[in-house]
Amino acid sequence: MLDWIAGIGAANIAKVRSFGRATLMLFGAVIAKPQLVKNVPLTIKQIYVVGVQSLLIIVVSGLFIGMVMALQGYTILVGYGAEGSLGPMVALSLLRELGPVVTALLFAGRAGSALTAEIGLMKATEQLSSLEMMAIDPLRRIIAPRLWAGMISMPMLTLIFSAVGILGGHLVGVDWLGVDSGSYWSIMQSTVEWNKDVMNGIIKSLVFAFVIVWIATYKGYDSVPTSEGISKATTQTVVLSSLAVLGLDFVLTALMFGIE
Amino acid sequence: MKSRKAELLVGVFVLLAIAAGLMLALKVANQTMSGKGETYVLKAKFDNIGGLKVRSAVKVGGVTVGRVDSITLSSNDFTPIVSMSIAKKYDKFPETSSVSILTSGLLGEQYIGLQPGFSMDGIKDLADGDFVEDTKSALVLEDLIGQFLFSKK
Amino acid sequence: MENLIEIDNLSFSRSGRTIYDNISMRIPKGKTTAIMGPSGIGKTTMLRLMGGQLLPDSGDIKFKGESIPNMRRTRLFEVRRQMSMLFQSGALFTDMSVFDNIAFPLREHTKLSEDTIATIVKLKLQAVGLRGAAQLMPCELSGGMARRAALARAIALDPELIMYDEPFAGQDPISMGVLVKLIKALNDALQLTSVVVTHDVTEVLTIADYIYILADQKVIGSGTPEEIKNSDSPLVQQFLQGLADGPVPFHYPAGDLQTALLGASC
Ligand SMILES: Nc1ncnc2c1ncn2[C@@H]1O[C@H](COP(=O)(O)OP(=O)(O)O)[C@@H](O)[C@H]1O
Ligand SMILES: [Mg+2]
């Protein structure tokens, strides 16, 4: 019994300590004096890795999700003769929820896991130690550009996802099911508000990006440097960041749209 | 060589994101109508505005010419006053025009339909800040049903 | 004789297991010092302690008279520019070509022009016999080539101290010979101080000026190669001859085998 309680205590202490280490890592990477001249090319390279290479999956998913939503929405709305509201339905769901959330989940799976594995392997092959012995701080050199690249890429991916989704909805709703194109756009325009809908979606995606890249880089940096340790860390990144995204989404939605 | 290609593709990526942002701004959220100086204000009193909201569209024959700016309650007779900003390029509506609150579809969005009136000598055009006198309120479903039941008895 | 590194009464433990118990060592300047011992005894750990990547539990490590464990981070980074370490795996950056790997410390720490850097990189690659492999990626190199490329990177900034972690492990006889010659040549030509960590007895006896043998959390023997060879310590002789049975335990500390196999009775 005592052992059991001690076990719970130890597990929690380990969690708190690990959170402390993650925070220290973040500060070491971000607060450290910025070396813009050196870091900009590194960050651009990382935007290529986490952003550009995620583009295809984001565009394809956005297109299909927009198309499916138009199909489902149409069958429901047409029953009330309100198929004209298809535009705002598709646009609002994408901008407020699906855009940021689905992009974040795909990003966690596509880019987050790759980040963890990459940094874990760098640790296992002594590349991080080697940097340290060369008097180069791996937090600044390796972690910081990846953090920034993720924070920059995610909102852009989210914008692209939502835009493609709205076009996909147009493709199915207007071109296929025959909703009037004018009303698809004009009712959407009269409903969607820039600040409330688009900006809030971007803010969400920034928060998600921060959480995902933080988890991903920390899990790699803190991984046990063996093949088993890295595979475990990669799985943890995907699971933990997906859960964090969904949980945070609820909190953010409640804050942004819940109470008028 | 390799980093050149990466830089180029990152550039393309940023351009795509800007294009997506512009599309959301202009075509989805329609930012152009809220700009200053391009619009003028018309007001109208209604008995009942139903589900009309700020930013609802003002349409002439289906064409959006403006948006609802604000909805307030007149302090002396407790009727709603709707003020609409209308694009400057549509500034020749005669005083005899009428506005009504319409619904797209059975349960769709409510918007203001502006019906241009006849124009002849002696009738001025509506100018900034003018009231449109001839208004038709929103159809409120409950009222309609009530009337229907009442007349049956 | 001047000492570059002085280790005094150092103790260090990891996850509750003592690795070093109150040991002292001297690394003389301009000489090659070998640290020998069986696998898992903590040779890599010793190099990390010298580089300031790990902190001792007690005791001190002095580099040119300055205490490494008590250094501020910025000072430590300055001091590290005077040392370099050849990791066991080479630790080449896998996302850069061999050329860029060797240019990396130059680009990070100097303001030299790209032309000058290219010249230096070619010279260093020539020294390790890999000038033709400059444009290859690390994954295209054999183990021996990777180790040599890493050596070229380690000497790129002309450090005062090079620490080699098992440079001969897993090398074919030819690469081994090449590496031995390289280490010797570097030491003679550049007046470098070298610390070579290894368990290859024959190679060490040819290149080292001074040898420490570690076992059982302590230094069990030290001296010039001659002194070591003629040592009458049974521990040292067991290590030199590679005998499993002897005063040095070959097994990682464990319980009694019989108890482990037959189950504990209590
Ligand atoms: N990260 C670590 N955490 C805990 N123990 C470690 C770690 N790294 C090494 N050790 C332990 O320290 C001891 C010395 O390791 P090391 O210095 O790598 O040995 P060597 O290089 O002599 O083969 C080993 O017994 C190993 O179990
Ligand atoms: Mg080792």
Side-chain angles (χ1 to χ4, degrees):
Chain A
M1 183 65 190
L2 267 179
D3 276 0
W4 185 67
I5 292 172
I8 292 180
N12 282 327
I13 288 171
K15 281 212 184 71
V16 173
R17 273 187 56 200
S18 145
F19 188 71
R21 279 205 304 276
T23 309
L24 285 179
M25 182 203 83
L26 187 69
F27 275 83
V30 179
I31 308 293
K33 76 168 189 251
Q35 298 171 296
L36 274 184
V37 187
K38 271 176 188 160
N39 269 347
V40 165
L42 289 174
T43 307
I44 289 180
K45 195 174 163 210
Q46 288 307 316
I47 293 179
Y48 174 75
V49 175
V50 297
V52 174
Q53 295 193 348
S54 306
L55 202 51
L56 186 66
I57 187 175
I58 291 294
V59 168
V60 172
S61 318
L63 187 68
F64 277 104
I65 286 183
M67 283 163 52
V68 166
M69 281 210 320
L71 205 53
Q72 289 282 13
Y74 181 83
T75 51
I76 296 169
L77 291 173
V78 79
Y80 304 100
E83 68 269 23
S85 297
L86 187 65
M89 196 209 88
V90 171
L92 287 182
S93 334
L94 278 169
L95 291 170
R96 290 180 179 178
E97 284 299 324
L98 292 172
V101 172
V102 177
T103 307
L105 294 178
L106 291 172
F107 188 81
R110 170 71 185 73
S113 57
L115 273 183
T116 304
E118 189 196 15
I119 295 172
L121 267 173
M122 283 184 164
K123 188 176 179 186
T125 53
E126 298 178 310
Q127 292 180 49
L128 295 186
S129 285
S130 167
L131 276 174
E132 258 186 44
M133 284 308 296
M134 284 181 199
I136 296 163
D137 187 348
L139 289 181
R140 280 187 222 168
R141 175 82 201 186
I142 303 291
I143 307 291
R146 283 162 175 78
L147 278 170
W148 289 122
M151 298 279 292
I152 294 169
S153 300
M154 258 276 283
M156 302 209 289
L157 290 171
T158 303
L159 284 178
I160 293 172
F161 183 96
S162 299
V164 170
I166 289 169
L167 291 176
H170 187 273
L171 199 67
V172 168
V174 175
D175 299 335
W176 183 25
L177 297 171
V179 172
D180 177 49
S181 176
S183 69
Y184 185 85
W185 293 118
S186 67
I187 300 178
M188 190 189 294
Q189 284 170 8
S190 67
T191 317
V192 175
E193 288 173 41
W194 178 259
N195 283 337
K196 190 172 157 205
D197 301 316
V198 183
M199 282 317 278
N200 275 345
I202 292 176
I203 292 171
K204 273 187 178 181
S205 75
L206 273 171
V207 174
F208 297 161
F210 173 74
V211 171
I212 294 172
V213 281
W214 187 19
I215 291 177
T217 47
Y218 172 69
K219 282 288 169 193
Y221 192 68
D222 198 53
S223 61
V224 180
T226 59
S227 29
E228 197 201 2
I230 293 170
S231 98
K232 207 170 134 194
T234 310
T235 312
Q236 280 178 347
T237 291
V238 176
V239 172
L240 209 63
S241 50
S242 302
L243 289 178
V245 163
L246 294 171
L248 275 172
D249 182 49
F250 177 76
V251 175
L252 287 174
T253 306
L255 286 177
M256 288 169 173
F257 304 102
I259 312 123
E260 293 274 306
Chain B
M1 246 319 260
K2 220 176 130 214
S3 84
R4 277 273 168 74
K5 188 180 142 226
E7 278 166 18
L8 186 73
L9 287 171
V10 169
V12 172
F13 175 47
V14 173
L15 287 181
L16 269 180
I18 291 174
L22 279 179
M23 178 194 139
L24 294 182
L26 299 180
K27 205 144 165 72
V28 176
N30 202 359
Q31 284 288 286
T32 47
M33 283 308 226
S34 60
K36 280 230 158 121
E38 310 159 335
T39 60
Y40 67 104
V41 176
L42 291 182
K43 292 180 179 170
K45 268 188 180 174
F46 292 94
D47 292 332
N48 192 322
I49 58 157
L52 195 72
K53 289 191 207 72
V54 172
R55 286 192 62 78
S56 293
V58 179
K59 295 184 182 184
V60 176
V63 178
T64 306
V65 297
R67 316 213 149 263
V68 172
D69 254 353
S70 66
I71 300 171
T72 49
L73 203 58
S74 158
S75 50
N76 37 30
D77 57 3
F78 300 109
T79 48
I81 299 174
V82 174
S83 96
M84 304 161 270
S85 52
I86 312 289
K88 263 273 158 63
K89 59 178 172 178
Y90 306 113
D91 62 348
K92 292 266 185 290
F93 296 116
E95 279 181 326
T96 49
S97 303
S98 64
V99 287
S100 39
I101 296 178
L102 304 170
T103 309
S104 50
L106 189 55
L107 296 171
E109 276 294 300
Q110 290 198 299
Y111 64 95
I112 293 185
L114 202 160
Q115 187 71 46
F118 60 91
S119 83
M120 49 182 282
D121 288 348
I123 293 183
K124 285 182 284 181
D125 289 337
L126 288 166
D128 192 34
D130 281 359
F131 271 85
V132 183
E133 299 297 343
D134 187 359
T135 63
K136 257 189 233 94
S137 290
L139 278 181
V140 178
L141 213 53
E142 293 90 323
D143 290 355
L144 273 183
I145 294 167
Q147 276 168 16
F148 176 73
L149 292 176
F150 191 70
S151 65
K152 264 280 169 99
K153 271 188 184 166
Chain C
M1 185 164 46
E2 200 187 338
N3 292 323
L4 190 66
I5 297 183
E6 298 180 353
I7 297 172
D8 293 313
N9 308 102
L10 174 104
S11 294
F12 182 74
S13 61
R14 226 168 181 172
S15 345
R17 210 161 66 80
T18 308
I19 305 221
Y20 292 118
D21 183 16
N22 197 20
I23 67 172
S24 302
M25 285 200 246
R26 299 277 176 272
I27 311 287
K29 197 170 175 156
K31 301 271 191 257
T32 301
T33 306
I35 299 176
M36 306 183 69
S39 297
I41 204 71
K43 303 185 296 296
T44 304
T45 307
M46 178 56 78
L47 294 186
R48 287 185 192 271
L49 282 162
M50 290 181 189
Q53 291 193 320
L54 297 173
L55 292 180
D57 298 341
S58 66
D60 203 2
I61 300 164
K62 289 206 185 78
F63 180 83
K64 292 186 178 171
E66 222 179 326
S67 163
I68 292 227
N70 297 324
M71 254 174 218
R72 296 178 56 93
R73 194 173 164 75
T74 40
R75 177 70 191 138
L76 180 62
F77 270 45
E78 279 167 27
V79 169
R80 276 185 189 162
R81 292 188 197 189
Q82 304 166 33
M83 30 170 109
S84 87
M85 181 145 156
L86 182 64
F87 283 84
Q88 214 159 339
S89 60
L92 291 172
F93 301 125
T94 40
D95 57 343
M96 305 177 190
S97 68
V98 169
F99 181 94
D100 289 331
N101 259 287
I102 291 149
F104 182 82
L106 295 163
R107 287 179 181 149
E108 286 292 323
H109 288 316
T110 69
K111 294 196 161 60
L112 298 173
S113 70
E114 272 302 307
D115 283 346
T116 321
I117 289 180
T119 313
I120 299 177
V121 171
K122 276 180 204 146
L123 285 175
K124 303 289 175 188
L125 278 173
Q126 178 71 27
V128 299
L130 283 179
R131 199 158 52 87
Q135 293 313 320
L136 294 183
M137 295 303 280
C139 57
E140 296 169 301
L141 301 179
S142 72
M145 286 161 84
R147 197 91 44 107
R148 269 146 63 199
L151 180 55
R153 187 178 67 181
I155 56 173
L157 281 176
D158 295 324
E160 290 179 45
L161 167 72
I162 303 194
M163 298 179 269
Y164 301 87
D165 191 1
E166 315 242 3
F168 313 118
Q171 299 279 324
D172 62 81
I174 296 178
S175 312
M176 190 119 96
V178 172
L179 274 167
V180 169
K181 237 191 253 154
L182 265 175
I183 294 174
K184 242 183 170 158
L186 283 172
N187 236 57
D188 296 346
L190 303 173
Q191 289 304 301
L192 283 175
T193 307
S194 310
V195 177
V196 183
V197 148
T198 184
H199 46 236
D200 287 282
V201 176
T202 37
E203 279 68 35
V204 158
L205 293 177
T206 64
I207 57 169
D209 296 309
Y210 203 79
I211 297 173
Y212 284 96
I213 299 181
L214 300 177
D216 220 8
Q217 308 162 11
K218 290 194 178 60
V219 177
I220 55 164
S222 64
T224 62
E226 280 309 307
E227 289 165 9
I228 290 282
K229 258 188 271 186
N230 303 326
S231 162
D232 47 11
S233 156
L235 290 161
V236 173
Q237 287 306 326
Q238 185 207 348
F239 186 76
L240 292 183
Q241 287 154 28
L243 303 174
D245 280 324
V248 183
F250 158 73
H251 293 284
Y252 189 91
D256 183 28
L257 180 66
Q258 197 175 350
T259 338
L261 290 179
L262 302 177
S265 48
C266 53

